[in-house]
Amino acid sequence: MDQQVLLSELATDTLKGLSSNPKYLLSKYFYDDAGSAIFQEIMKMPEYYLTDCEHEIFSNQKEEISQAICPEKKLFNLVELGSGDGLKTKILLKHLVEEGIHFQYTPIDISAKANHELVQSLKKELPDLQVEAQTGDYFQKLKNLKGDASMQKIILFLGSNIGNFSVDETTEFLSRLSAYSNVGDKVLIGFDLKKSPAIIMEAYNDPHGHTCRFNLNHLVRLNRELDADFDIQRFEHQTTYNPLTGEVKSFLISNSDQTVQIGALEKTFRFTKWEAIFMERSRKYDIQTIETLALNHHFKVVQNFTDQRNYFVDSLWEKI
């Protein structure tokens, strides 16, 4: 069921995006199995500081995070949106298990392969942990999170994924998160902080070409799933950063006049030479903006966990 729903959504969203002016594609479709694998390579790059920063936060402050999210050590449901390989989360999971804290872990990811691999690895590493993975778009899965008010929810949204949203999408996401949270539920959200533009550009326009492949894989996915005929050699990857808005933006740019047929849509799309497709944004934040976001959506900031360089913050909020 999920696969069919996602395919129909992919077709609808692709039609809307490529029919718009300027053209765009939605970043949530980056993460098919191939895209998820490429992103694992991105996270291992020395230039991609985000993974190291958040890994440092979880490694060095797991006791503080554990105490902050569940000071009374009552049974709770730990829900992770966009769990991926769970690399950072496993640090916290292992600590909670070692402390004898009782909880259920519910990872949600759009990639069935990533979910399967995460569940299998957890069976080996933490065999007593109760895991109930869900595959799909976490915007859709949020509808199921209201659940039993008697069991507290701790929701993880790590890796600065929130930075991929527009202002309107951020408002919508946090509004849904608030609506499906009960008073006392908590969320731990990763935010990339503003810093030198040179450091940011190295992370998002990497010399290894992984980010370029990640973007182009979106077109490969459309070729495979929507019977399109994109020639990826005719598109170039470009990244920009605006320090005023804090937004990194990535584009695929047509390097020639061309037409692309998408069989599933029964449509042909024209691209002029140097026309851009907007692919993704990654917004950088400051602490004041984070606190304002929390209050605007009926949360209070409980504690901010930052790395030693103050590049990144995992901000713990509580529903009020």
Side-chain angles (χ1 to χ4, degrees), residues 43-214:
M43 291 193 297
K44 294 174 184 176
M45 300 187 311
E47 295 86 359
Y48 195 76
Y49 58 83
L50 293 89
T51 305
D52 288 342
C53 289
E54 201 168 30
H55 193 275
E56 176 196 316
I57 291 169
F58 273 70
S59 296
N60 295 346
Q61 302 178 63
K62 55 183 179 290
E63 294 89 352
E64 292 87 346
I65 295 172
S66 173
Q67 177 63 24
I69 64 175
C70 54
E72 298 176 358
K73 298 188 176 181
K74 291 182 179 179
L75 178 66
F76 64 92
N77 187 7
L78 185 67
V79 181
E80 182 168 12
L81 309 181
S83 43
D85 65 358
L87 180 65
K88 293 160 291 189
T89 311
K90 284 181 181 179
I91 299 169
L92 180 61
L93 295 176
K94 289 176 183 177
H95 179 73
L96 292 171
V97 170
E98 288 170 359
E99 291 295 305
I101 298 170
H102 299 289
F103 67 101
Q104 172 183 303
Y105 177 50
T106 306
I108 301 173
D109 200 274
I110 201 167
S111 169
K113 183 173 183 286
N115 258 342
H116 176 74
E117 291 178 352
L118 175 59
V119 170
Q120 292 305 308
S121 67
L122 287 173
K123 281 182 179 179
K124 294 179 181 178
E125 297 171 39
L126 298 168
D128 296 329
L129 176 63
Q130 184 180 355
V131 182
E132 292 189 9
Q134 297 187 36
T135 299
D137 181 338
Y138 44 70
F139 274 114
Q140 298 297 325
K141 296 298 180 179
L142 277 176
K143 296 176 182 178
N144 303 321
L145 291 183
K146 189 69 175 176
D148 181 2
S150 65
M151 184 185 291
Q152 184 187 28
K153 291 191 299 296
I154 310 295
I155 302 171
L156 307 181
F157 193 52
L158 308 177
S160 191
N161 287 325
I162 197 167
N164 297 142
F165 301 153
S166 67
V167 172
D168 288 344
E169 288 168 339
T170 301
T171 298
E172 178 188 10
F173 175 79
L174 293 177
S175 295
R176 290 190 185 188
L177 199 59
S178 181
Y180 295 112
S181 300
N182 299 306
V183 173
D185 286 348
K186 294 175 181 175
V187 297
L188 185 67
I189 305 180
F191 293 92
D192 194 13
L193 297 173
K194 290 182 177 179
K195 59 187 68 65
S196 167
I199 294 171
I200 292 170
M201 286 299 290
E202 273 207 329
Y204 289 89
N205 198 24
D206 68 279
H208 315 286
H210 296 325
T211 313
C212 177
R213 287 197 298 120
F214 185 59

Side-chain angles (χ1 to χ4, degrees), residues 9 22 28 41 74 191 193 201 205 219 235 261 281:
E9 287 180 357
K28 69 179 182 179
E41 295 181 48
K74 291 182 179 179
F191 293 92
L193 297 173
M201 286 299 290
N205 198 24
L219 304 187
F235 288 89
Q261 292 184 330
R281 69 169 46 79

